[in-house]
Amino acid sequence: MKEIILFIALALFMVAIFLILYRVIVGPSMPDRAMGLDTIGVNLVSAMAIVSIILSTTAFLEAILILGILSFIGTIAFSKYIERGDIIERKRDR
Amino acid sequence: MKVNNVILQFTAKIVFFIIFFFAVHIFFAGHYTPGGGFVGGLVTASAIVLLVIAFDLNTVHKLLPINYIYVVAIGLILALGTAAISMFVEQPFFTHFFDYFYLPLFGKTSLHTAALFDLGVYLVVVGVTMTIIQTIGDDE
């Protein structure tokens, strides 16, 4: 019973990721795509947690944290590129 | 153009320490759980990259006055030296040693020379990643 519920949750996460993928591909503006990629990262974190429950292991917990960190930094880099045009500056202009 | 990114900079100041201590945990837990020098080095480099994104290269260089090419060199020397320790005690190259010690704060601890080799890998990964990112980002 528990396994069935977990697999249904995984399938729902897959459906959500495909729906977000539509927004990433079609999305009319760049912020739409950045938001879509961030949401895909969050959904992947949740799906990885469910997979680690199904496999009944704690070996994925570090991978979950690392994926959260990398998704955060990637989203910040994307949004800085969209806002400023460059990601890494040499000197602050104020 | 004046841009006010106070929220990003304040968040980066706090999140940097969370990511850095998580990287230290991954590095020291690498012997018994997933992790190790490579992943720890990459996570440390991503923490510094977060600072570089939130501030700029000059500020981060003032904060961490490190020439990352020397970090690569120190890491390679450390790895090679750890591998060469065993040659002085009539053992084959790359033989590792470990023993149990009673440290004052940690209690019974197993210290292994593979941790020193892993520290070399950690320093090389941090140095190479930061050198690549600084060289690419510094395009003026």
Side-chain angles (χ1 to χ4, degrees):
Chain A
M1 189 61 198
K2 195 182 84 176
E3 292 246 324
I4 297 171
I5 294 174
L6 289 174
F7 276 112
I8 289 173
L10 263 187
L12 287 178
F13 275 122
M14 197 179 70
V15 170
I17 286 176
F18 271 106
L19 289 178
I20 302 160
L21 210 57
Y22 173 79
R23 182 50 64 201
V24 171
I25 295 171
V26 178
S29 64
M30 284 304 282
D32 285 333
R33 295 192 175 94
M35 286 285 293
L37 287 176
D38 187 44
T39 317
I40 284 180
V42 173
N43 278 315
L44 277 179
V45 166
S46 317
M48 220 193 288
I50 289 179
V51 166
S52 82
I53 295 175
I54 289 175
L55 296 178
S56 71
T57 174
T58 58
F60 289 127
L61 295 186
E62 272 101 0
I64 290 171
L65 279 168
I66 288 175
L67 185 58
I69 289 168
L70 291 186
S71 168
F72 173 66
I73 293 176
T75 307
I76 283 180
F78 258 124
S79 30
K80 189 161 183 185
Y81 176 72
I82 291 170
E83 188 189 358
R84 308 288 291 269
D86 58 345
I87 296 176
I88 295 173
E89 309 161 45
R90 166 143 287 274
K91 197 172 292 185
R92 225 180 312 171
D93 52 357
R94 67 190 167 94
Chain B
M1 188 175 76
K2 272 193 150 186
V3 177
N4 188 4
N5 46 8
V6 61
I7 293 179
L8 173 62
Q9 291 181 353
F10 186 74
T11 310
K13 281 177 204 164
I14 296 174
V15 172
F16 170 76
F17 288 102
I18 299 174
I19 299 177
F20 182 70
F21 288 130
F22 178 56
V24 172
H25 166 258
I26 283 180
F27 173 74
F28 280 111
H31 198 73
Y32 295 111
T33 56
F38 189 78
V39 187
L42 279 183
V43 174
T44 307
S46 70
I48 303 174
V49 165
L50 176 65
L51 279 187
V52 171
I53 290 174
F55 296 93
D56 53 310
L57 277 176
N58 285 349
T59 310
V60 175
H61 187 75
K62 210 177 292 173
L63 180 70
L64 300 167
I66 300 169
N67 189 354
Y68 289 101
I69 296 179
Y70 292 153
V71 175
V72 176
I74 291 170
L76 284 175
I77 288 172
L78 200 59
L80 196 62
T82 310
I85 284 175
S86 56
M87 295 177 71
F88 296 106
V89 289
E90 309 273 328
Q91 293 282 328
F93 194 58
F94 257 115
T95 308
H96 285 298
F97 306 99
F98 71 99
D99 203 355
Y100 293 97
F101 295 97
Y102 287 93
L103 298 181
L105 198 58
F106 297 99
K108 187 183 178 188
T109 314
S110 75
L111 296 180
H112 202 297
T113 53
L116 286 175
F117 183 77
D118 228 13
L119 186 64
V121 175
Y122 176 90
L123 291 177
V124 169
V125 170
V126 171
V128 167
T129 313
M130 290 314 295
T131 305
I132 290 172
I133 286 173
Q134 279 188 347
T135 312
I136 293 177
D138 194 13
D139 57 348
E140 292 183 44

